[in-house]
Amino acid sequence: MTKEVKINMLVVIITIVLVTIITIILALCGQNWKYYLIGGMLGLMCHGLMVKQDARIARFSRLDPEHQTFNPKKSAILWYMLRSVLVIATFVILALLLYKDGADKKTQIISMLIALGGYMTIKIVFLILLIFFHDGKKVVS
């Protein structure tokens, strides 16, 4: 098992555990826990898309090393745009749901921050694991 696969597996497991624990804590405190859960699952979905993108680019780069038919830069940009559209659309829908429910501004802002915290959970876990598994090799450019 490569280091990248190990990191990605640990990220998913740790994030699911953290999102579950924090969602239960938010539910017990009476906060809007659904938004944290939605943010956490959105982060996991975007991470899965990133892993899929990485595997696809690596596979096509091995098949076409001169990049005659496959442009990895264009592919990376398209996958990034897909993930960005998913995140923006989800947060817009969450904001519209809050507005439709007639929540006051303070509740809307807090609920959106809770959703953003759920989304950022996987990013923080991923960065911590990347730092933890860093082997100290310098990349010469």
Side-chain angles (χ1 to χ4, degrees):
M1 182 178 330
T2 65
K3 182 173 68 169
E4 290 82 16
V5 173
K6 189 182 298 187
I7 290 173
N8 287 324
M9 286 176 44
L10 284 173
V11 165
V12 171
I13 293 169
I14 292 171
T15 302
I16 288 174
V17 169
L18 278 175
V19 166
T20 303
I21 291 170
I22 294 172
T23 301
I24 291 170
I25 291 171
L26 286 173
L28 293 176
C29 293
Q31 294 295 322
N32 213 345
W33 59 273
K34 296 174 194 168
Y35 288 87
Y36 187 83
L37 186 62
I38 290 170
M41 295 302 115
L42 175 66
L44 283 170
M45 183 177 62
C46 287
H47 183 75
L49 286 173
M50 183 188 69
V51 170
K52 177 71 174 163
Q53 166 205 343
D54 182 47
R56 184 176 186 272
I57 288 175
R59 185 179 72 239
F60 279 116
S61 292
R62 280 192 310 270
L63 293 175
D64 184 18
E66 286 84 29
H67 306 298
Q68 294 175 353
T69 59
F70 176 71
N71 188 348
K73 185 176 182 180
K74 187 187 292 185
S75 178
I77 290 170
L78 289 173
W79 279 89
Y80 180 76
M81 287 175 51
L82 172 68
R83 293 192 315 265
S84 298
V85 166
L86 286 173
V87 170
I88 291 168
T90 303
F91 276 96
V92 166
I93 290 170
L94 289 177
L96 290 174
L97 286 174
L98 282 169
Y99 180 74
K100 181 184 157 203
D101 289 342
D104 60 337
K105 285 283 188 191
K106 183 179 177 182
T107 305
Q108 289 176 354
I109 292 172
I110 290 173
S111 295
M112 292 304 289
L113 287 175
I114 288 173
L116 182 64
Y119 176 72
M120 293 304 292
T121 301
I122 191 163
K123 306 293 184 192
I124 294 168
V125 170
F126 187 56
L127 286 175
I128 290 171
L129 285 175
L130 283 178
I131 291 170
F132 183 72
F133 281 100
H134 181 68
D135 57 359
K137 293 180 184 174
K138 291 192 177 189
V139 177
V140 178
S141 55

